[in-house]
């Protein structure tokens, strides 16, 4: 009888072991899930490798130290970066980033690469800048020559990531980020008679405008494509004076919005009109 009981006990132990072996992966997965959930609930941030965020290597300098940073609209045509909705955190970008003006209005998060240059880089500091200008190549191996990726930043933005006294160049890492803007997209009307030029600013979302169409309130009701004249300035050669104007914008990421009757028929060249719509 004792032998039979012992055999039953051994069989029971083996059965329990088998069940535990089969359940082990599930227990491990559940434990990981519970641990991660616990970490989220208590607010502990888990560090993500830089490579996982698609950060790219570049270099940065600063310019305009003796200029008002709001005047650094340059090759994009923003007369005043505050009026354009960008503030003082702006940058002129190299040929590889500027893309003939397509980058105007795009946003980049930039950090100084402390691992490469601990002397001049501020650790764990970042700044988001808007591309508002072009850093031209000198064709002599300069930092703004292809194939370099370079940010020539306004002084206020540069010294948010680099130490004061750094008068040279610092290594940085950057990534594209969505642009967060206050208010709606803005349209500044320029040109004369049948030459309409519109400067488009304060664009959210990806920030960089890929295509623009315009439509007047009279006559043809179809959208008329506009062409990039330079930077953030788009043109058409149709006389749309004394009409309400509507615009259709497509960003580089494919998002499209219509801004219907955003400009009243009483508009004049030189005026700026702000819409209620904005890219998210």
């Amino acid at each position: 009888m004792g032998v039979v009981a012992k055999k039953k006990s051994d069989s029971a132990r083996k059965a329990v072991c088998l069940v535990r072996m089969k359940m082990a992966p599930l227990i491990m997965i559940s434990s990981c899930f519970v641990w991660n959930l616990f970490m989220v609930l208590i607010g502990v941030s888990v560090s993500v490798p830089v490579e996982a965020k698609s950060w790219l290597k570049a270099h940065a300098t600063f310019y305009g130290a003796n200029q008002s940073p709001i005047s650094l609209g340059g090759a994009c045509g923003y007369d005043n970066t505050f009026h354009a909705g960008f503030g003082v955190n702006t940058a002129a970008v190299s040929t590889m980033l500027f893309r003939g003006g397509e980058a105007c209005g795009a946003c980049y998060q930039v950090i100084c690469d402390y691992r490469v240059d601990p002397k001049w880089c501020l650790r764990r500091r970042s700044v988001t800048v808007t591309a508002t200008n072009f850093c031209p190549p000198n064709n002599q191996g300069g930092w703004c020559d292809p194939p370099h990726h370079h940010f020539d930043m306004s002084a206020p933005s540069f010294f948010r990531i680099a130490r004061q006294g750094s008068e040279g160049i610092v290594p940085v890492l950057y990534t594209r980020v969505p642009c967060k803007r206050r208010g709606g997209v803005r349209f500044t009307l320029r040109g004369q008679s049948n030459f309409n030029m519109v400067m488009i600013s304060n664009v959210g979302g990806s920030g960089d405008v890929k295509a623009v169409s315009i439509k007047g309130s009279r006559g043809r009701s179809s959208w008329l494509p506009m062409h990039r004249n330079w930077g953030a300035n788009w043109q058409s050669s149709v006389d749309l004076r004394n009409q309400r104007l509507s615009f259709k914008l497509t960003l580089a990421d494919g998002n499209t919005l219509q801004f219907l009757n955003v400009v009243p028929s009483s508009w004049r060249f030189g005026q700026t009109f702000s819409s209620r719509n904005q890219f998210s």
Side-chain angles (χ1 to χ4, degrees):
M1 186 72 179
V3 174
V4 173
K6 186 175 184 302
K7 286 182 178 179
K8 287 183 178 180
S9 178
D10 290 343
S11 298
R13 276 197 296 270
K14 289 179 181 178
V16 170
C17 287
L18 288 172
V19 170
R20 284 179 178 171
M21 290 173 65
K22 290 180 179 179
M23 290 294 289
L26 181 60
I27 292 171
M28 290 175 66
I29 293 171
S30 299
S31 298
C32 291
F33 174 77
V34 172
W35 173 252
N36 287 335
L37 180 61
F38 172 73
M39 295 292 279
V40 170
L41 291 175
I42 66 174
V44 176
S45 61
V46 181
S47 61
V48 179
V50 167
E51 291 77 10
K53 289 187 176 182
S54 299
W55 293 83
L56 299 174
K57 294 180 179 181
H59 286 84
T61 48
F62 72 93
Y63 75 120
N66 298 320
Q67 295 176 254
S68 169
I70 66 175
S71 66
L72 304 179
C76 288
Y78 306 122
D79 294 332
N80 182 307
T81 60
F82 260 112
H83 292 168
F86 308 137
V88 298
N89 292 327
T90 61
V93 294
S94 60
T95 303
M96 298 299 292
L97 295 171
F98 193 67
R99 307 190 315 277
E102 288 185 12
C104 291
C107 295
Y108 302 85
Q109 185 179 5
V110 183
I111 62 176
C112 200
D113 196 344
Y114 184 85
R115 292 176 299 178
V116 176
D117 190 351
K119 180 179 179 180
W120 294 114
C121 288
L122 292 174
R123 194 172 188 178
R124 297 176 181 173
R125 299 286 184 87
S126 71
V127 63
T128 297
V129 296
T130 299
T132 61
N133 207 344
F134 175 49
C135 182
N138 62 15
N139 300 316
Q140 296 178 4
W143 288 107
C144 289
D145 286 2
H148 297 304
H149 290 203
H150 188 82
F151 294 85
D152 201 14
M153 303 166 68
S154 66
S157 58
F158 181 83
F159 288 115
R160 288 185 62 180
I161 61 171
R163 299 183 191 279
Q164 291 282 348
S166 173
E167 305 300 333
I169 187 166
V170 295
V172 298
L173 300 170
Y174 77 92
T175 187
R176 283 291 304 272
V177 292
C179 299
K180 297 179 181 179
R181 307 298 188 200
R182 291 184 179 181
V185 175
R186 299 171 190 173
F187 302 87
T188 300
L189 304 177
R190 299 170 173 172
Q192 55 186 353
S193 64
N194 64 340
F195 176 73
N196 299 294
M197 192 161 69
V198 181
M199 192 266 286
I200 302 170
S201 62
N202 200 48
V203 181
S206 70
D208 42 357
V209 179
K210 184 73 173 179
V212 180
S213 296
I214 190 172
K215 180 168 62 172
S217 56
R218 297 200 309 263
R220 298 175 59 183
S221 59
S222 58
W223 290 103
L224 304 172
M226 302 188 77
H227 306 283
R228 189 187 304 275
N229 184 290
W230 61 284
N233 293 280
W234 295 77
Q235 72 175 64
S236 75
S237 30
V238 179
D239 190 350
L240 297 174
R241 287 174 295 177
N242 302 315
Q243 299 185 51
R244 297 188 305 275
L245 302 181
S246 301
F247 296 91
K248 180 169 65 173
L249 271 58
T250 299
L251 303 187
D253 63 4
N255 285 333
T256 300
L257 271 182
Q258 294 184 11
F259 302 85
L260 300 178
N261 300 317
V262 67
V263 176
S265 59
S266 58
W267 65 268
R268 295 292 182 269
F269 290 115
Q271 291 181 308
T272 297
F273 298 90
S274 183
S275 71
R276 295 181 178 180
N277 296 355
Q278 183 57 276
F279 292 91
S280 56

